[in-house]
């Protein structure tokens, strides 16, 4: 507990940060957030299309014949 208090007291010091260090710090936080979101975000399955039974065939009679053969 004593080491934590010493560390907490040392945080009052004023330091300067270069623009490069600030940019790299922000960039690393942003990338870490993206990685965290990818791994721990809700799992979703992406589906393209509505699955309404449309096979995409223009000639309906031809499509019905192909489906009845299977």
């Amino acid at each position: 507990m004593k080491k934590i208090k010493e560390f907490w007291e040392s945080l009052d010091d004023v330091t300067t940060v270069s623009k490069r260090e600030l940019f790299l710090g922000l960039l690393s936080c942003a990338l870490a957030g993206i990685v965290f979101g990818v791994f721990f975000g809700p799992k979703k399955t992406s589906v393209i299309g509505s699955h309404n039974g449309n096979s995409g065939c223009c000639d309906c009679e031809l499509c019905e014949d192909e489906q009845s053969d299977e």
Side-chain angles (χ1 to χ4, degrees):
M1 187 69 176
K2 187 176 181 180
K3 289 185 179 184
I4 294 174
K5 282 187 177 183
E6 289 175 9
F7 174 72
W8 191 257
E9 295 297 325
S10 71
L11 293 178
D12 290 336
D13 296 339
V14 176
T15 59
T16 57
V17 178
S18 69
K19 289 181 182 179
R20 180 180 291 166
E21 289 174 344
L22 181 62
F23 174 74
L24 291 176
L26 291 173
L27 183 66
S28 64
C29 287
L31 291 176
I34 291 171
V35 170
F36 182 80
V38 166
F39 285 120
F40 296 109
K43 305 294 185 253
K44 296 180 182 178
T45 57
S46 60
V47 177
I48 299 174
S50 61
H51 296 291
N52 61 359
N54 187 5
S55 64
C57 185
C58 296
D59 189 11
C60 294
E61 294 174 5
L62 181 62
C63 292
E64 290 173 2
D65 291 340
E66 288 176 0
Q67 290 176 356
S68 64
D69 291 340
E70 293 176 356

